[in-house]
Amino acid sequence: MNREPLLQVRQLTKLHAPGKGCREVSFDLYPGEVLGIVGESGSGKSTLLSCLSARLAPDSGSILYRTDAGETVDLYQLSEARQRQLQRTEWGIVHQHARDGLRMGVSGGANIGERLMATGERHYGQLRATAARWMRDVELDVGRIDDRPTTYSGGMQQRLQIARNLVTHPRLVFMDEPTGGLDVSVQARLLDLLRQLVTELGLAVVIVTHDLAVARLLAQRLIVMRRSQVVESGLTDQVLDDPQHAYTQLLVSSVLTA
Ligand SMILES: Nc1ncnc2c1ncn2[C@@H]1O[C@H](COP(=O)(O)OP(=O)(O)OP(=O)(O)O)[C@@H](O)[C@H]1O
């Protein structure tokens, strides 16, 4: 495995107001690694994820990203066009609400094909065949390929969003509560699917979740956030089985007693 970090995050700070956002966050993310960001509502998880994925400029600190071409770039020194290009080609962004990550006005197949076109594929037959294959891979009925996502259920929309993001074989995927807002049984099946895809494709993932079971299932390493700061980090099993910080202990015990 390539041991150079994909992401090097240093002293990253973005505050919307005092105590609201993320403050002085530092970590490395390696290829193929899944990092979970956990913490209560309002602790700054989504703010951090937005900064990491070049959607929200930080107040201070830096994010170095190692590109597919092997060069290390400072994310917020890049032009906006180059940031957008990374988002479309080397990264995936899976939103909690599939509507935020899909184009609701075009068909399911086009939602997948469009991402491929951004990486240069132009052949209609190829685009359609790949879209159909990905629909099968995420267990969607290929017969629905020409239907708009507005006609899909919430779980189906989330599967489509995942296919749209993974079809280009991104190196790094950002996920914000990807199973939030879905029925428990739909959640469980989607989690299984995500875990399988992440392993098969060797994806590096940063996943925000308030659900420790999701973190345990997907993430090798965890960052625990409270009131905009990281209070604990480490291997998932260590953090969840032997939490050191009083806040993490509270988080873990509140799940056990729920
Ligand atoms: N654009 C904004 N303007 C002002 N305040 C904001 C903005 N975005 C987030 N905040 C505030 O910053 C804090 C951190 O929000 P953030 O969404 O990052 O937390 P979170 O841990 O992801 O929470 P949740 O799990 O509820 O999504 C919250 O108090 C939120 O109200």
Side-chain angles (χ1 to χ4, degrees), residues 16-17 19-21 39-48 176-177 208 210:
H16 306 287
K20 292 186 184 306
E40 67 197 348
S41 181
S43 56
K45 306 181 297 295
S46 298
T47 301
L48 174 59
D176 197 349
E177 303 274 10
V208 160
H210 69 273

Side-chain angles (χ1 to χ4, degrees), residues 30-229:
Y30 287 87
E33 191 178 32
V34 181
L35 175 75
I37 303 174
V38 299
E40 67 197 348
S41 181
S43 56
K45 306 181 297 295
S46 298
T47 301
L48 174 59
L49 198 74
S50 297
C51 290
L52 297 177
S53 51
R55 291 175 293 151
L56 182 66
D59 301 330
S60 58
S62 67
I63 303 169
L64 299 183
Y65 170 67
R66 192 169 159 79
T67 67
D68 209 6
E71 81 186 294
T72 298
V73 295
D74 186 334
L75 214 55
Y76 285 93
Q77 299 300 320
L78 297 176
S79 67
E80 259 189 46
R82 182 83 177 96
Q83 291 176 352
R84 298 286 96 81
Q85 190 198 13
L86 286 177
Q87 288 171 345
R88 283 199 310 271
T89 57
E90 298 194 18
W91 300 349
I93 302 177
V94 176
H95 300 264
Q96 175 176 358
H97 302 292
R99 287 173 167 271
D100 297 334
L102 291 174
R103 287 224 296 133
M104 302 306 277
V106 302
S107 69
N111 265 282
I112 302 174
E114 204 175 58
R115 275 276 295 196
L116 271 180
M117 287 175 76
T119 58
E121 178 63 62
R122 287 287 181 274
H123 186 276
Y124 178 76
Q126 277 298 348
L127 288 168
R128 194 166 169 89
T130 308
R133 184 159 51 74
W134 267 94
M135 285 188 77
R136 269 182 227 107
D137 286 352
V138 297
E139 295 159 18
L140 281 171
D141 175 5
V142 181
R144 304 289 302 272
I145 193 166
D146 294 316
D147 296 346
R148 290 185 183 192
T150 40
T151 67
Y152 291 11
S153 70
M156 288 167 67
Q157 288 180 1
Q158 200 56 307
R159 283 165 189 274
L160 181 64
Q161 193 193 187
I162 289 164
R164 175 178 163 92
N165 273 280
L166 299 191
V167 66
T168 52
H169 292 274
R171 314 171 69 226
L172 175 58
V173 183
F174 300 98
M175 300 184 185
D176 197 349
E177 303 274 10
T179 56
L182 298 173
D183 288 351
V184 174
S185 64
V186 178
Q187 263 189 30
R189 294 221 317 275
L190 191 69
L191 262 180
D192 262 354
L193 175 73
L194 273 178
R195 188 159 71 152
Q196 181 196 328
L197 289 170
V198 164
T199 311
E200 272 172 17
L201 301 173
L203 292 175
V205 178
V206 182
I207 177 170
V208 160
T209 178
H210 69 273
D211 187 335
L212 297 187
V214 170
R216 175 145 356 228
L217 202 66
L218 290 178
Q220 288 119 24
R221 228 158 30 96
L222 284 189
I223 281 181
V224 183
M225 290 189 72
R226 182 190 188 217
R227 296 187 191 155
S228 79
Q229 281 188 297

